[in-house]
Amino acid sequence: MGSAAGDMELDIFQAARAGDCALLGRLLQEGADLNARDRWDSIPLYYACLAGHDAAVRMLLEGGAVCDDSTFEGERCYRAALNLGIRRILREYESRPRPPRPLPLAPFPAALRSAFLACPANRVGADSTPTLATDAAGELWPSPPDITLYVQGRPIEAHRVILAARSPYFRRKLATEWRNRRDVTFSSSHSLSFKLMHSLVSFFYSDRCEVPAEDLQDFARICKACKCKGIVDRLTAHKKRRDTQTRELGRDYSQKPFVLQGRSMDGRAASALRRILHDSLANSREEDLRNSELVETCRSSEYDDLTDVCVKVGDRVFRCHQLILTLRSEYFKTRLSRRTDFLHSNNGGELPLLEEHDVSAEAFEKMLEYVYTDELEDLDDDPLSMAEELLDIASRYLLFPLKRLVADLLLPHLDLDRVSSAELCRWLMLSDIYDVAKVREHCQDIIDRNFEVFAESQGSSAPCF
């Protein structure tokens, strides 16, 4: 069986290189893998393009060969094409509407998307009539939706913090007219499409949505009304690029759907949540300094930070969002789902209060930076101490990807020019305790390359050897 499959793969490469359409047709019927790779990491379509076999290229594309100009394979085939005729075929195929092949979402937007789909009204597709969910949202997630948008009489459930983070229009409305409202109905005079609004709100969570070509103009109008300038700019650029392709290649590219993805730093949900985190931290400091003359300097937030839980760490109280904490950490998900209602008084009323012990406020704030933004900029002025505490926090709060970010920032500081041999050996032990392979390998490599230094060092002999 394995030999037959191997022969079939070999045949398809030979047929593509030779332009043998009869053999290609037979192999297609027998179920040959059109996207198989040879030892040079090339696919059959690449050889057909390289040799200039128009009919073979068309047959491979129609049979399901992958060719997308945003992928490595698609770009390679386009550049290897023997003539402009092959390139036109590739562009023609690229312009056709076809079922999307979405790449897997990154962990953070995937978690946000799961929160959106956990809302009962959002679980069915935008083209279906909502039905009763078998489980309530509160049972599926400790942070259920806190606002429902009604568009064309149909509900879209959402979280205020996400809407405020992604759209200046929603942020202003949630701070003023919609401050105490759980339901918001858009009147028919707004001429809003439920399907397109559902797509936009879904993008707010997942950083991805697909808009049919015939709906691009209406989608752009909704984005403009929501003050989503980045999306509007991207739609405008897409239209210009599409018109240019149509003009230069002489074919109609207007039917190609637009796949909107939050690729840039400013276009991602994590970047939008950084602004929310900045406001929450500013308001947290304002509470801590309420009786200080420095309070006014902390008022950097124009709008309500929409926090719904407080976490007390030492003498500081951090204003946070249950949605973000529960999505990012199984520890907080469990604590918030089982908490008793301890309340913390603040200017906006009372919020649930959690207390965390044996952690510094500085390290907890760094942890929040990662939880909200999926990034960690630095380790402050004492990188070794901060790194050790963050690794402990990552283990305690089950934030295992945080360990990798800490390791990346820590490694430049673990060098014999900066730390003693004893300290380096100490970090070798810590890497085992916290299970950080990158730090362990880095320390072991330095020790191996400087064996005599460590062997002669009195302080390092015990822990390292």
Side-chain angles (χ1 to χ4, degrees), residues 163-199:
L163 297 180
R166 303 308 302 265
S167 164
Y169 167 80
F170 280 116
R171 188 167 191 185
R172 178 173 57 82
K173 287 288 190 179
L174 290 169
T176 54
E177 301 171 41
W178 302 349
R179 189 180 186 91
N180 298 314
R181 295 175 60 180
R182 292 191 60 87
D183 299 327
V184 174
T185 301
F186 290 92
S187 66
S188 56
S189 61
H190 287 91
S191 301
L192 294 178
S193 162
F194 169 81
K195 181 178 70 172
L196 297 181
M197 180 61 82
H198 187 281
S199 295

Side-chain angles (χ1 to χ4, degrees), residues 364-376:
F364 191 84
E365 184 171 329
K366 277 291 177 186
M367 183 273 293
L368 288 179
E369 178 187 344
Y370 163 74
V371 165
Y372 275 76
T373 69
D374 214 27
E375 297 172 352
L376 199 62

Side-chain angles (χ1 to χ4, degrees), residues 39-40 67 85 100-101 121 125 140 185 207 226-227 320 342 352 354 366 387 434 437 442 452 465:
R39 56 179 171 172
W40 293 283
C67 180
R101 298 186 298 272
L140 291 173
T185 301
D207 281 338
C226 293
K227 310 296 182 185
C320 303
F342 297 105
L354 301 179
K366 277 291 177 186
Y434 294 117
H442 176 82
E452 286 135 357
F465 303 105

Side-chain angles (χ1 to χ4, degrees), residues 246-260:
T246 300
R247 184 173 60 254
E248 292 181 352
L249 299 176
R251 291 186 179 275
D252 184 11
Y253 284 77
S254 61
Q255 298 307 307
K256 183 178 178 181
F258 176 62
V259 179
L260 179 63

